[in-house]
Amino acid sequence: MNTWCARPTAADPAVLATDPVPSHDVLGVFRIPVTELHAAVAMGVPETLLTRFFPQASAQVALSRSSAYYAPQLAVPAAPALHRALRIIEGRHDKPVPALRRALVENLHNFYAAVAFSMWEHLTERESDSDGDKKLLDSLLEAGTRLSAGLSGIAPGGWTDEPLPDLAGFSSLPALRVFRELDSQAKLHDELAFLTAHVIDRSPDITAVVVPLYGSLSLGFAARAILPVTRANRELTVHFIRLGFHDLSWVDYRKADGTIRSELVGPPGHRARLAEHVHGRHVLVVDDNVGYGTTLRAAKTLIGQLGGRTTTRSVETAWHLYQRDGRHDVADAADLPSLRPNLHHRIQDRLIGHLLRGDAVAYLDDPAHKVRSTLHLQMTASYDTALCLGSWTPHQLQAMRSELAHAALNWHEPAVPPAPAALPPAGRRAA
């Protein structure tokens, strides 16, 4: 393993650039012209609702997320009001407030994702014979998929007229998970575009896509919405499995022999559908991030137990770990590790902290939004790191080069802030 290689960082002259910063930032938060908020009030949208969910950061700009986005257990009761506001806006033929419209959909999607995951956990840990519980979970998953279609611009006309499941009963939960790992719509769409063109289309025998929860739930919803439209001629089912070894570290997924306790990954009906669609099939497993490879290795084991074979993909890769530890290797876990660096938890926590404190000005001024680089140049540095590791197969390196070329032409994501100098605590490391 070539640990002597020079390892570029985002501060090196070789990766500096002056490209304009995209309109969205590293967390996927985007700017709403204040004039759109005024226009929405004139349409009949309550001003108090807009103030709560879309904090004003300057005289001209509001943000698409507030503290309510990251505290869903407190904000869930407002879901009907957000949906009513969306219907008011969708009812206008001239569509005068596009940024606000998207922000409303994104906030609703966040709430339904959080509640759907809570219901998935509940029915996995406490198997229920209630048809009502099973139908509620399916309706939550359908709602998350429909909202993803709305964010992608592929929802049919009049889609907001359909009612969304009632979330009132979930506001009493002690906590709801926040889906911040892959909550950037630009990243989700860039990733799915790459996967369809360079993985799914090139492997006609892939018939199922599996995403581990909870970090990849937003990606799973997007895949459920987009793949049936963009690849309507393909047999492609999308499945969720709860399989996390850091964020869900209290769950003991493994048996003594190293196999996976499949009863812990999902409710019975969903486990049965998973088994049916992966037995004897080629399955693409896509996880939000790979650091130590634990989740992807476990997913490989699970699919193998069910009689399938896998190709594994990480949407982000903790390349900073490999720069600091020359012994580290995930080539066996991630068949297709993305060259995207990952957004470190400490930076996420700092940015989200500004919003939780209601300080939209501090959020916009945070240095995380001022990285002197581009994502493509960072990916080039990641490729150099991969070459230094020296453990990849020719096929994996070719896939990395394909991703690099595809990203240069198609991706519009912002650069990722460099990881902190110190390693994270063991409990917060990427899986």
Side-chain angles (χ1 to χ4, degrees):
M1 193 171 295
N2 299 324
T3 58
W4 50 265
C5 293
R7 291 165 180 166
T9 68
D12 288 338
V15 296
L16 295 182
T18 57
D19 287 17
V21 177
S23 59
H24 49 271
D25 60 35
V26 293
L27 283 183
V29 181
F30 56 93
R31 287 112 171 103
I32 305 170
V34 170
T35 52
E36 289 197 13
L37 302 183
H38 298 329
V41 172
M43 293 180 216
V45 177
E47 185 174 4
T48 53
L49 183 75
L50 300 177
T51 301
R52 180 183 182 190
F53 283 91
F54 311 113
Q56 193 163 333
S58 71
Q60 292 81 32
V61 172
L63 301 180
S64 63
R65 298 180 192 174
S66 68
S67 60
Y69 186 95
Y70 295 102
Q73 68 271 25
L74 300 177
V76 154
L82 290 172
H83 192 218
R84 284 194 295 272
L86 178 61
R87 291 183 62 184
I88 290 172
I89 291 170
E90 284 289 294
R92 291 286 298 263
H93 295 294
D94 53 349
K95 301 293 187 292
V97 288
L100 177 59
R101 178 261 184 204
R102 174 180 158 176
L104 286 165
V105 179
E106 191 171 70
N107 276 266
L108 282 167
H109 180 271
N110 182 58
F111 295 155
Y112 278 90
V115 174
F117 179 76
S118 178
M119 194 67 181
W120 185 281
E121 279 202 309
H122 175 75
L123 294 183
T124 300
E125 296 171 355
R126 307 169 186 84
E127 292 190 10
S128 172
D129 293 328
S130 167
D131 287 339
D133 285 345
K134 298 172 185 175
K135 289 179 179 177
L136 176 57
L137 174 60
D138 287 342
S139 71
L140 292 168
L141 295 176
E142 191 279 331
T145 303
R146 183 160 28 119
L147 289 162
S148 275
L151 287 170
S152 304
I154 59 174
W159 70 278
T160 58
D161 294 333
E162 299 181 39
L164 291 170
D166 184 9
L167 301 183
F170 293 92
S171 59
S172 60
L173 292 174
L176 289 171
R177 303 298 290 271
V178 177
F179 293 85
R180 67 191 198 198
E181 306 299 340
L182 281 184
D183 58 359
S184 165
Q185 292 299 310
K187 183 184 297 180
L188 295 181
H189 297 156
D190 287 345
E191 177 63 20
L192 286 173
F194 170 76
L195 288 177
T196 52
H198 292 272
V199 181
I200 291 173
D201 287 353
R202 295 182 182 184
S203 299
D205 59 335
I206 290 178
T207 58
V209 178
V210 172
V211 294
L213 307 181
Y214 85 107
S216 299
L217 183 56
S218 295
L219 176 72
F221 279 134
R224 283 168 55 115
I226 293 171
L227 291 180
V229 174
T230 60
R231 295 299 181 270
N233 60 329
R234 286 284 299 270
E235 178 191 356
L236 282 172
T237 56
V238 180
H239 305 267
F240 300 118
I241 53 173
R242 187 187 70 162
L243 196 64
F245 288 83
H246 294 277
D247 294 297
L248 300 170
S249 58
W250 62 88
V251 182
D252 186 8
Y253 292 100
R254 290 195 177 97
K255 300 178 184 178
D257 62 359
T259 57
I260 302 299
R261 298 170 62 192
S262 60
E263 71 275 9
L264 298 180
V265 303
H270 289 269
R271 296 199 308 266
R273 284 193 286 276
L274 173 68
E276 176 188 354
H277 285 98
V278 307
H279 184 75
R281 305 291 188 92
H282 185 182
V283 179
L284 174 62
V285 178
V286 189
D287 197 16
D288 65 314
N289 178 34
V290 62
Y292 295 89
T294 314
T295 300
L296 284 179
R297 289 189 184 96
K300 280 188 174 185
T301 300
L302 175 65
I303 300 303
Q305 289 172 208
L306 298 175
R309 64 185 183 92
T310 59
T311 293
T312 54
R313 162 74 173 177
S314 66
V315 180
E316 296 178 346
T317 305
W319 292 104
H320 64 278
L321 293 179
Y322 318 146
Q323 291 175 327
R324 294 166 179 162
D325 184 356
R327 300 169 298 172
H328 193 56
D329 183 13
V330 293
D332 65 320
D335 299 317
L336 303 172
S338 177
L339 292 173
R340 287 185 187 88
N342 69 313
L343 179 60
H344 197 279
H345 285 293
R346 291 186 186 178
I347 298 172
Q348 287 182 333
D349 290 344
R350 188 180 76 221
L351 289 169
I352 292 169
H354 297 317
L355 296 177
L356 288 173
R357 291 188 297 273
D359 196 341
V361 175
Y363 179 87
L364 280 186
D365 288 342
D366 193 282
H369 304 312
K370 301 175 176 65
V371 179
R372 295 180 61 211
S373 183
T374 66
L375 178 65
H376 185 259
L377 288 170
Q378 290 180 330
M379 291 171 67
T380 302
S382 298
Y383 183 69
D384 290 340
T385 298
L387 293 178
C388 289
L389 291 174
S391 56
W392 309 101
T393 67
H395 173 73
Q396 287 175 310
L397 293 174
Q398 178 57 51
M400 291 181 194
R401 289 191 292 270
S402 295
E403 180 192 36
L404 195 60
H406 180 94
L409 294 174
N410 300 285
W411 288 1
H412 303 288
E413 302 167 38
V416 179
L423 285 173
R428 295 300 303 276
R429 291 180 179 176

